[in-house]
Amino acid sequence: MGRPETPDTARPVGAAAADGVAPDRPPDASPALPPARGRAQRHPHGARTVTVDSSLGPLTAWRADADESAAVEGPPATAVLLPGYSGSKEDFAPLVDAIAAAGIGVLALDLPGQYESPGPETEADYRPGALGPVVAGVVGDEAAAGRRVLLLGHSFGGLVARATVLAGAPVHGLTLMDSGPGELPMGGRRTQLDVVEPVLRRRGIDAVVALRDASGEWSSTDPEVVALLRERLRRSAVAGLLGMGDALRSEPDRTAELVAAVRARRVPCLIVCGIDDDAWPVTMQRTMADRLEAEFASIPHAAHAPNVENPVALLDVLVPTWRTWLRDDMLG
């Protein structure tokens, strides 16, 4: 078990509507004040920044407390959210308040080596099989505090979430978002990793930032968001980017292992992705869902990151699904 988390800042948790009055709606309905599109990682929210302990050292995270009046009967629940390659907790900014308002707490992590979380210097320590037990320790601490954990992993974070379950983490539900059964198939995103690796090894992180700038990838994004994306890339561990990038091009298909684990422990699963995902094909993710006997949903008007591209539609899937799992959990 880790040490108690340490608050870094104290901001009020925005589980209610902006005027401070709880919305008059069923908890499973869409948020009365849905997240605005366009702010992405700078979307305002009421979570506070905390530090949680892990076997690889302190991890920076956001925690939002659940609106207890909307909570499902039984022990409290927390959604533990894992970001993807070169991502961070900020990728979940548009989701935080709505999840908390539905009676589910939020713990969104920077994985080791991402943005505000320090990490090891060895590339192999960033493979999913190595990070899974690290996150399993965090999940174990949540469980020891009496919370039911709903684990979500986005993209590379999905591979880590899978490894977390395989490491024995006591989760009450698993959501894999825009993630696949194994390595990235051939395509644009894999090619980007092939291009970035030699630049990162020979010229360093600033050259990678310059490469991203020159690509025009950030040109249509809000300037405040661009500033954040540049900052977090510069602050990411080089070994982490290399190790995660290598894993994305070599991770084996461990779906059969995951099927055995979730069946044995009766863990419900959801596979969700943007309908235009350009990383793992939607058909591949649907097949993975079939193998897991998991629920499947595709999010319209979204590609690889529905959490920032269409958060309202994503929440319409996540919130009722998770609340159903929690109710079913109480029924045994």
Side-chain angles (χ1 to χ4, degrees), residues 107-230:
L107 184 65
L109 298 174
D110 288 350
L111 291 170
Q114 289 183 331
Y115 193 26
E116 296 179 315
S117 290
E121 297 182 0
T122 304
E123 293 175 27
D125 288 334
Y126 292 96
R127 301 187 69 85
L131 292 177
V134 177
V135 177
V138 175
V139 172
D141 287 347
E142 291 293 299
R147 304 182 185 109
R148 293 180 286 176
V149 172
L150 305 171
L151 181 64
L152 178 147
H154 173 230
S155 191
F156 176 80
L159 301 178
V160 176
R162 177 177 68 183
T164 300
V165 173
L166 294 177
V171 302
H172 287 258
L174 173 66
T175 301
L176 303 179
M177 182 173 74
D178 293 88
S179 192
E183 65 184 69
L184 276 171
M186 297 306 298
R189 289 186 179 270
R190 182 161 180 149
T191 299
Q192 286 179 349
L193 293 173
D194 291 336
V195 170
V196 164
E197 179 182 359
V199 174
L200 185 57
R201 289 190 185 279
R202 297 170 189 170
R203 299 170 54 196
I205 195 68
D206 286 338
V208 174
V209 173
L211 193 66
R212 297 285 291 273
D213 279 331
S215 72
E217 184 179 345
W218 295 334
S219 61
S220 61
T221 306
D222 181 284
E224 290 187 8
V225 174
V226 172
L228 170 64
L229 299 180
R230 286 198 190 103

Side-chain angles (χ1 to χ4, degrees), residues 4-314:
E5 65 186 31
T6 304
D8 290 339
T9 61
R11 289 184 289 178
V13 177
D19 58 2
V21 179
D24 183 16
R25 59 179 176 83
D28 286 349
S30 300
L33 295 175
R37 297 186 62 160
R39 296 298 305 278
Q41 291 88 348
R42 288 295 193 185
H43 187 86
H45 61 85
R48 61 192 181 276
T49 303
V50 299
T51 300
V52 296
D53 196 28
S54 83
S55 58
L56 282 181
L59 303 178
T60 303
W62 284 344
R63 186 179 288 282
D65 298 322
D67 179 351
E68 294 182 2
S69 68
V72 173
E73 182 182 358
T78 298
V80 174
L81 311 179
L82 309 181
Y85 171 81
S86 78
S88 67
K89 60 192 177 301
E90 282 75 14
D91 292 335
F92 302 109
L95 308 182
V96 169
D97 284 358
I99 294 173
I104 300 170
V106 175
L107 184 65
L109 298 174
D110 288 350
L111 291 170
Q114 289 183 331
Y115 193 26
E116 296 179 315
S117 290
E121 297 182 0
T122 304
E123 293 175 27
D125 288 334
Y126 292 96
R127 301 187 69 85
L131 292 177
V134 177
V135 177
V138 175
V139 172
D141 287 347
E142 291 293 299
R147 304 182 185 109
R148 293 180 286 176
V149 172
L150 305 171
L151 181 64
L152 178 147
H154 173 230
S155 191
F156 176 80
L159 301 178
V160 176
R162 177 177 68 183
T164 300
V165 173
L166 294 177
V171 302
H172 287 258
L174 173 66
T175 301
L176 303 179
M177 182 173 74
D178 293 88
S179 192
E183 65 184 69
L184 276 171
M186 297 306 298
R189 289 186 179 270
R190 182 161 180 149
T191 299
Q192 286 179 349
L193 293 173
D194 291 336
V195 170
V196 164
E197 179 182 359
V199 174
L200 185 57
R201 289 190 185 279
R202 297 170 189 170
R203 299 170 54 196
I205 195 68
D206 286 338
V208 174
V209 173
L211 193 66
R212 297 285 291 273
D213 279 331
S215 72
E217 184 179 345
W218 295 334
S219 61
S220 61
T221 306
D222 181 284
E224 290 187 8
V225 174
V226 172
L228 170 64
L229 299 180
R230 286 198 190 103
E231 178 190 8
R232 78 175 183 186
L233 185 54
R234 285 195 173 99
R235 293 178 63 178
S236 296
V238 171
L241 292 172
L242 291 170
M244 293 179 189
D246 180 65
L248 282 167
R249 292 172 292 168
S250 61
E251 179 72 1
D253 185 339
R254 303 185 70 187
T255 307
E257 296 173 67
L258 184 60
V259 168
V262 298
R263 285 180 180 172
R265 287 146 55 189
R266 300 177 62 188
V267 176
C269 300
L270 168 67
I271 308 300
V272 61
C273 61
I275 198 167
D276 297 315
D277 193 353
D278 59 348
W280 288 272
V282 174
T283 53
M284 182 182 290
Q285 295 181 63
R286 185 186 291 274
T287 298
M288 181 173 67
D290 290 341
R291 293 171 67 188
L292 286 166
E293 298 180 347
E295 298 177 68
F296 177 84
S298 58
I299 305 303
H301 310 296
H304 190 56
N307 44 309
V308 297
E309 295 160 346
N310 195 353
V312 175
L314 177 61

